[in-house]
Amino acid sequence: MFGIVWMLSSYGLLGIATASTQDGDIAQLGERCLRKAEAEGSNPFISTMQTSRAALLACAFFIREQRATTLDTSPALDTSSTFLAYDTCELCPRRCKARRNSGKAGFCGASNTLRVARSALHFWEEPPISGEAGSGAIFFSGCPLRCVFCQNHRISQEGFGRAVSVERLACMMLELQEQGALNINLVTPMHFAPQVKKAIMLAKQAGLNLPVVCNTSGYELAQVIRAMGDVIDVWLTDFKYADARLAKELSYAQDYPDVAAAALTEMLSLLRAHGGRKMGTNGSMQQGIIVRHLVLPGHADDSCEVLNRIWNICGNDVDVSIMNQYTPNERCLKQGGLLSTTLSDEEYEIVICHADDLGFKQIWWQEGGTVSESFVPQFDATGVEGPALLVPQSHQDTTDTHG
């Protein structure tokens, strides 16, 4: 099977994990490998397609009257966590003011209808996230960035996904818990912050007891991070660029470096307020921050500047994950230039050595060559359809009716 070995420099531990072709989505390569192994009859892992038992159990998920509580949507929480945010949307740094509650799509491509492309176990995130049991990943449709090298354009820019209710999203989380997931891994969820927060709270009332991971591009507003801070345990965030010109060229977001720095600062503040990094006895991250960076060919200098910014903000309060998995997509191959090639070993070594020189103690890095083919999960709505969480009528929030 194809594979890349994740290594943690400070512990000297090896965690076997295959990597994807797009930062933020390490599970992608693993999905293709898993299907290949299943076809060969040699799959040693839990199949992401084996959800029948969870689907049956899902019908039993409900909020008991004595445990349910009313969701707090008071002004003190900031409107980022309520459905009022969709009236004139400013949930992301684009601040497009789209009237999503009127059915209009924002820059992210989404109205106020919650859309999910996939819900399944993933085994190839960083070891503290996936472990051996797998991470319960839920992929949301839409994205506030427009990365030219994106491998997930079908869901990030073309809008693939199924409309789901908040109650169905909550039930997906419980199903993944029943499948043995180490955590609930929400991939690019923040443009749906109101529904996501409500779903997490409902799932917890119904018995969800796993850490919740926010898997984000890093292009987030600090106030939205703050509004979600009481329901997110682990921030799995990208820090893509330090150079504003490069951010504009590759993601159409010139303000990305400053926005990502402010978002990371807020994540760190929340983490410190909750007691810092916490690990389980099985090596899984229960609370913390992992900052991911994908090294791009020809841009090792910017990668080193990214590490400088992370170090200046966080020091050793976070893990850093430095990835060498860049693979040019069809668009980049046609355009030619630096992004039509793969990353050299020399460039990757420069960046890894710089992280070590800065003093990072928790460095996740990949040993092995960059994959030469794109491996993208089947965004076929796996795990999306199914029963919704049963919420007693007396505990439904009558002010939040969307999604």
Side-chain angles (χ1 to χ4, degrees):
M1 294 180 62
F2 299 96
I4 293 176
V5 176
W6 279 104
M7 305 185 72
L8 177 59
S9 65
S10 66
Y11 293 151
L13 298 177
L14 298 183
I16 298 176
T18 44
S20 73
T21 58
Q22 164 68 8
D23 60 332
D25 289 331
I26 294 173
Q28 294 181 354
L29 174 58
E31 289 295 328
R32 183 73 63 86
C33 298
L34 181 59
R35 292 194 298 274
K36 178 177 182 291
E38 287 174 331
E40 295 172 349
S42 60
N43 176 27
F45 304 112
I46 299 172
S47 171
T48 59
M49 306 301 288
Q50 295 174 348
T51 58
S52 57
R53 177 175 179 270
L56 291 172
L57 289 171
C59 297
F61 294 139
F62 62 95
I63 295 179
R64 298 183 183 276
E65 289 284 347
Q66 66 268 28
R67 289 198 297 154
T69 57
T70 301
L71 299 181
D72 186 354
T73 56
S74 64
L77 276 180
D78 187 287
T79 57
S80 301
S81 63
T82 76
F83 291 89
L84 295 175
Y86 292 146
D87 285 346
T88 54
C89 190
E90 295 188 30
L91 279 173
C92 86
R94 302 290 184 180
R95 297 183 183 274
C96 67
K97 299 185 185 297
R99 297 185 177 277
R100 294 172 63 185
N101 274 336
S102 299
K104 304 296 183 181
F107 188 94
C108 62
S111 67
N112 68 353
T113 300
L114 183 63
R115 299 183 71 85
V116 175
R118 183 176 178 84
S119 176
L121 293 176
H122 285 266
F123 299 89
W124 294 277
E125 306 279 19
E126 289 85 347
I129 302 299
S130 62
E132 295 182 0
S135 179
I138 300 175
F139 290 85
F140 294 86
S141 305
C143 181
L145 290 178
R146 291 292 182 270
C147 301
V148 300
F149 50 84
C150 183
Q151 299 289 334
N152 288 347
H153 55 84
R154 189 181 181 209
I155 64 171
S156 65
Q157 299 176 27
E158 296 175 11
F160 175 79
R162 301 283 174 83
V164 300
S165 67
V166 170
E167 292 77 15
R168 173 59 197 148
L169 178 58
C171 202
M172 287 182 212
M173 300 177 191
L174 294 166
E175 290 169 356
L176 290 167
Q177 179 170 267
E178 288 292 329
Q179 294 173 47
L182 280 183
N183 47 58
I184 301 302
N185 185 352
L186 307 174
V187 185
T188 318
M190 299 293 269
H191 52 294
F192 291 119
Q195 286 113 318
V196 169
K197 181 167 186 174
K198 183 175 180 181
I200 295 170
M201 296 173 75
L202 289 174
K204 286 185 174 182
Q205 291 169 15
L208 180 69
N209 56 19
L210 299 177
V212 178
V213 179
C214 181
N215 191 334
T216 167
S217 69
Y219 193 60
E220 309 288 359
L221 292 176
Q223 59 264 40
V224 180
I225 298 291
R226 189 179 312 119
M228 296 291 287
D230 57 340
V231 294
I232 301 297
D233 303 293
V234 177
W235 299 97
L236 184 57
T237 181
D238 294 346
F239 204 126
K240 297 177 184 291
Y241 317 104
D243 186 336
R245 291 172 297 180
L246 189 62
K248 180 179 180 180
E249 176 186 354
L250 301 185
S251 294
Y252 299 94
Q254 185 172 348
D255 59 347
Y256 180 94
D258 289 341
V259 168
L264 181 57
T265 300
E266 184 62 35
M267 293 173 195
L268 182 63
S269 177
L270 290 168
L271 178 63
R272 287 172 172 168
H274 288 88
R277 185 178 189 267
K278 296 179 182 178
M279 303 295 291
T281 56
N282 60 357
S284 64
M285 182 171 282
Q286 302 297 299
Q287 183 173 286
I289 301 171
I290 299 178
V291 186
R292 285 172 164 170
H293 176 71
L294 176 68
V295 185
L296 298 174
H299 296 291
D301 55 344
D302 189 63
S303 292
C304 291
E305 286 301 319
V306 166
L307 292 173
N308 290 343
R309 296 198 73 164
I310 297 170
W311 176 257
N312 289 335
I313 294 169
C314 303
N316 273 313
D317 285 342
V318 302
D319 293 22
V320 290
S321 176
I322 304 172
M323 300 178 290
N324 70 346
Q325 63 201 47
Y326 175 79
T327 301
N329 60 18
E330 185 177 350
R331 175 179 180 178
C332 291
L333 288 171
K334 286 182 177 179
Q335 289 181 342
L338 292 174
L339 293 188
S340 66
T341 64
T342 56
L343 183 70
S344 70
D345 291 341
E346 292 75 16
E347 289 176 299
Y348 189 53
E349 185 175 355
I350 288 170
V351 180
I352 294 294
C353 288
H354 186 66
D356 189 54
D357 290 341
L358 284 171
F360 283 111
K361 293 181 179 179
Q362 307 285 344
I363 306 173
W364 293 99
W365 55 283
Q366 295 170 326
E367 184 179 70
T370 301
V371 184
S372 59
E373 178 183 358
S374 294
F375 290 87
V376 180
Q378 289 289 330
F379 291 123
D380 54 4
T382 294
V384 175
E385 295 182 349
L389 183 69
L390 301 178
V391 181
Q393 186 66 34
S394 61
H395 293 288
Q396 290 182 0
D397 190 339
T398 59
T399 64
D400 289 354
T401 59
H402 307 290

